[in-house]
Amino acid sequence: MAESGPVDDPALGAVVVAEDALRARVAELGAEISADYVGRTPLLVGVLKGAFVFMSDLARAITLPVEFDFMAVSSYGSATKTSGVVRIVKDLDLDLSGRHVIIVEDIVDSGLTLQYLRRNLLARNPADVEVCALLVRDGLQRHDPDLRYVGFRIPPAFVVGYGLDVAEHYRNLPYICTYTGLE
Ligand code: IMP
Ligand code: MG
């Protein structure tokens, strides 16, 4: 089947990561994690809502037993800009003591959200905390650049799809494309 393009929505621009590229890279990340965590059961901590699509595909590309938990954070600010003030909206259900935690994020922009999350989770006595980010926006990480697994580094444009949204729209696009409808 031909890949559907964002042609019918004038707010959507170029495809940044196509569906087949996502599939291939997620498979590689799953294989890498599977090799790195042999003999352990990593706990994947998905950052809601944006990471839910990526986490679902990533988990199925990991050949080890894994467990899941989710956290929701919100950073105050407008729809397309992080303010830097992060707040936990939904906390984890599981105890992190002794766990091998992998934070699964959709996109790292300034790195502030991740910096906050990592510090917060490290305070709960896990064995270790690593990060798997699907996207990293190039050149902007002033905070917490220590990313163990990265899917793609992308140019500085706002993107949607594959979990990422603008005001809750476009999360179900099977590819990642730019959003050009900013006011
Ligand atoms: P940071 O705290 O500046 O690294 O921002 C990270 C968070 O901002 C991500 O988890 C997303 O929720 C959101 N975000 C940043 N850039 C984009 C984008 O291009 N599309 C959709 N959400 C984004
Ligand atoms: Mg997010």
Side-chain angles (χ1 to χ4, degrees), residues 82 105-113 137 157-159 164-165:
T82 309
E105 251 288 36
D106 52 358
I107 182 167
V108 179
D109 188 10
S110 68
L112 275 166
T113 303
R137 184 173 285 115
F158 196 86
V159 293
L164 292 103
D165 74 311

Side-chain angles (χ1 to χ4, degrees), residues 47-51 71 73 75 104-108 113 117 163-165 171:
V47 185
L48 294 172
K49 301 173 192 171
M71 227 170 145
V73 296
S75 40
V104 180
E105 251 288 36
D106 52 358
I107 182 167
V108 179
T113 303
L117 274 176
L164 292 103
D165 74 311
R171 292 194 197 274

Side-chain angles (χ1 to χ4, degrees), residues 18-174:
E19 209 174 336
D20 55 351
L22 283 167
R23 203 176 301 118
R25 186 68 187 121
V26 171
E28 287 176 356
L29 290 171
E32 243 186 277
I33 291 171
S34 304
D36 291 350
Y37 286 82
V38 169
R40 293 176 282 174
T41 300
L43 174 62
L44 303 183
V45 169
V47 185
L48 294 172
K49 301 173 192 171
F52 84 104
V53 178
F54 174 44
M55 178 131 151
S56 160
D57 286 344
L58 178 70
R60 285 175 289 178
I62 298 175
T63 53
L64 305 169
V66 293
E67 292 178 12
F68 300 87
D69 208 343
F70 294 93
M71 227 170 145
V73 296
S74 101
S75 40
Y76 293 104
S78 67
T80 57
K81 265 225 178 94
T82 309
S83 67
V85 183
V86 181
R87 169 176 67 101
I88 295 179
V89 175
K90 182 224 172 288
D91 205 348
L92 299 174
D93 296 326
L94 301 178
D95 180 3
L96 297 192
S97 326
R99 299 304 309 263
H100 301 284
V101 173
I102 304 177
I103 300 175
V104 180
E105 251 288 36
D106 52 358
I107 182 167
V108 179
D109 188 10
S110 68
L112 275 166
T113 303
L114 205 53
Q115 174 181 271
Y116 171 84
L117 274 176
R118 196 200 296 265
R119 281 185 187 158
N120 188 284
L121 299 193
L122 277 170
R124 307 183 195 196
N125 299 311
D128 42 69
V129 175
E130 299 291 355
V131 173
C132 180
L134 177 65
L135 305 174
V136 173
R137 184 173 285 115
D138 258 340
L140 296 174
Q141 288 76 56
R142 292 174 296 276
H143 309 273
D144 201 23
D146 176 24
L147 308 170
R148 178 78 180 78
Y149 307 98
V150 171
F152 301 89
R153 295 189 182 272
I154 63 165
F158 196 86
V159 293
V160 295
Y162 200 69
L164 292 103
D165 74 311
V166 171
E168 303 302 329
H169 291 286
Y170 307 118
R171 292 194 197 274
N172 63 325
L173 293 177

